[in-house]
Structure formats: C-alpha cells, structure tokens
Amino acid sequence: MNYLNDLNPVQREAVEHRDGPLLILAGAGSGKTRVLTYRIAHLLTQGVEPWQILAITFTNKAAQEMRERVTALIGNEARGMCVMTFHAACVRILRQDINCLPGYDRNFVIYDTTDQQALIKACLKEANLDEKKFPPRAVGAAISDAKNKLLSPQEYAARADDYFEQVVAQIYESYQKKLKANNAVDFDDLIMLTVWLLRDNPQVLEYYQERFRYILVDEYQDTNH
C-alpha cells in the first residue's frame, strides 16, 4: 500500500507486525501515535474487520484525532472500529454486561465529583464522624486510590495500617453499598468493575477476547495498575 511509504523502516516493521504482543519504546516526537494509526489502517486493509479492533487513548480529543487520521488514510473502511478512552470502553462493556455482577443493573448512572462528595459526607454523618477530622475530599481520594489498585472495601480494610485508613475502610464499604443502592457507579468504578466482570465471568471474557482481536493502547507508559 502507498501509505506505507510514509514510514521509516523501523516504523514499517511495527505497522506490519501481525499477531502477538508488540511494545513500542521510543522518545517523544518519534512517531509512536503515527505508527499506531498506520497499524490500524494496515490491519483493516489486510482483512481485519473494523469491529475486531479496539484502540485505546487517554482523552476524547485524542480518540477523535486518531479516528480522523485512520479515515484519512483508508476512507470508509475505518467505519465501525472502536477508538475510545479507557473509561468509554469500560462504559460500553458495563452497559452490556454489568448485570453479571451481583446487585448491578445496566441502567446505572455515573456519579460525578459533586455526587461523590455528597455521598461520602452522608456516609461520614451516618457514622458520626467529624468532617473536619476526616475531610470528605481526603477520604474520597483514598477510596479512589484503592479502586485504582483494584482493592475492594474488604481488601482495603485488611491492609489498613492506621486509624485514618481504618476509617476510610469503613466509609468505603458504606459508600459502595449506597452507590449500589442508588444503581450508581463512580468514575473509578468504571475500570475496577470491568476488571472484576472479566475476571469473574469466563463467558463474558471469552466474548470480548473474540470480539476484540487487536487491542492497541496509545501512551501506554501512562497507564496505572
């Protein structure tokens, strides 16, 4: 294909790599994102179905730019591919299969920061804890950190080293129960619950393993646990 002539030999090697894992290590401005977009285009021209490709970015703007760049390379063949952020991909999965997790419903709402803070304050009040000693933002940050490490309230409680963490563990458990009662998830739940869903439901995992045969992650060095 003519577009491959735009690449240097090392970039072309990465673009034409077909099956199995591939990690690109290169400095800023060396064309990593370009390689990723050209690789998507190349897969499509090689007969891979658009819906079998999942391209992950960190921002909606980056996802839109990537989609536009692939479309500019090969036209309408790019229609139907999934180019989105981590959280958008997780929302799509959860909207279809979150009911496989006990107590969750597909029509869940996503709480923003204001909603989260209000719920944490309600949990603190219910536990007769002083917000001045346990600021809701600090408690919320600790809960967010736990979720980013994929720790359930029980797992977090087992690791709590000091009084503050013990209180956070108590509030975390109450907070999750209230979220579930309200058929709600917070932003950190989107990834954590998706991981649990795929981990604990082999049939769901198998479906997405077959659905997304090629997963490409831009800015992979910025991923968390």
Side-chain angles (χ1 to χ4, degrees):
M1 300 297 291
N2 291 335
Y3 62 83
L4 293 177
N5 295 330
D6 299 338
L7 306 169
N8 64 39
V10 178
Q11 290 174 333
R12 182 163 180 164
E13 180 183 2
V15 167
E16 293 184 313
H17 174 85
R18 184 59 187 261
D19 293 316
L22 175 68
L23 178 66
I24 304 295
L25 294 172
S30 56
K32 295 187 296 297
T33 301
R34 186 182 196 188
V35 165
L36 192 148
T37 55
Y38 274 63
R39 178 165 162 72
I40 294 171
H42 186 65
L43 288 170
L44 292 170
T45 61
Q46 297 301 302
V48 177
E49 297 291 344
W51 50 267
Q52 291 182 310
I53 298 173
L54 173 62
I56 295 291
T57 68
F58 277 82
T59 66
N60 291 321
K61 180 181 179 182
Q64 180 62 28
E65 289 177 353
M66 187 179 298
R67 193 177 296 109
E68 291 172 353
R69 289 169 72 172
V70 175
T71 301
L73 284 173
I74 61 170
N76 288 333
E77 286 185 57
R79 294 180 65 181
M81 64 178 181
C82 295
V83 182
M84 57 189 69
T85 64
F86 280 100
H87 291 92
C90 290
V91 168
R92 179 172 294 194
I93 291 171
L94 292 174
R95 287 292 181 203
Q96 182 166 318
D97 291 302
I98 196 174
N99 56 300
C100 293
L101 292 174
Y104 286 97
D105 183 87
R106 291 173 179 165
N107 297 317
F108 62 86
V109 296
I110 302 172
Y111 274 14
D112 61 18
T113 303
T114 302
D115 298 322
Q116 289 175 255
Q117 287 295 295
L119 197 59
I120 288 171
K121 288 180 180 180
C123 293
L124 288 167
K125 184 176 182 180
E126 193 174 88
N128 293 316
L129 292 166
D130 187 352
E131 287 186 21
K132 293 181 180 179
K133 293 182 179 179
F134 303 98
R137 289 192 181 279
V139 173
I143 291 173
S144 176
D145 183 62
K147 291 185 177 186
N148 283 325
K149 293 175 180 174
L150 306 179
L151 297 175
S152 68
Q154 295 73 28
E155 290 168 329
Y156 182 86
R159 298 185 182 194
D161 289 330
D162 55 35
Y163 183 59
F164 178 78
E165 290 183 355
Q166 290 170 3
V167 169
V168 169
Q170 177 187 349
I171 299 304
Y172 183 10
E173 183 173 9
S174 174
Y175 173 72
Q176 285 301 103
K177 287 180 179 178
K178 289 182 184 299
L179 280 175
K180 192 177 290 189
N182 294 335
N183 194 28
V185 300
D186 64 22
F187 206 57
D188 296 309
D189 280 330
L190 297 176
I191 289 177
M192 184 179 75
L193 292 179
T194 301
V195 172
W196 290 357
L197 172 69
L198 298 176
R199 181 193 66 192
D200 299 336
N201 296 273
Q203 75 283 3
V204 177
L205 175 62
E206 184 178 2
Y207 169 81
Y208 286 104
Q209 286 174 329
E210 290 299 317
R211 167 70 190 276
F212 297 123
R213 305 307 300 269
Y214 296 91
I215 300 175
L216 304 96
V217 183
D218 200 16
E219 304 293 354
Y220 184 80
Q221 75 279 359
D222 292 332
T223 54
N224 62 16
H225 173 74

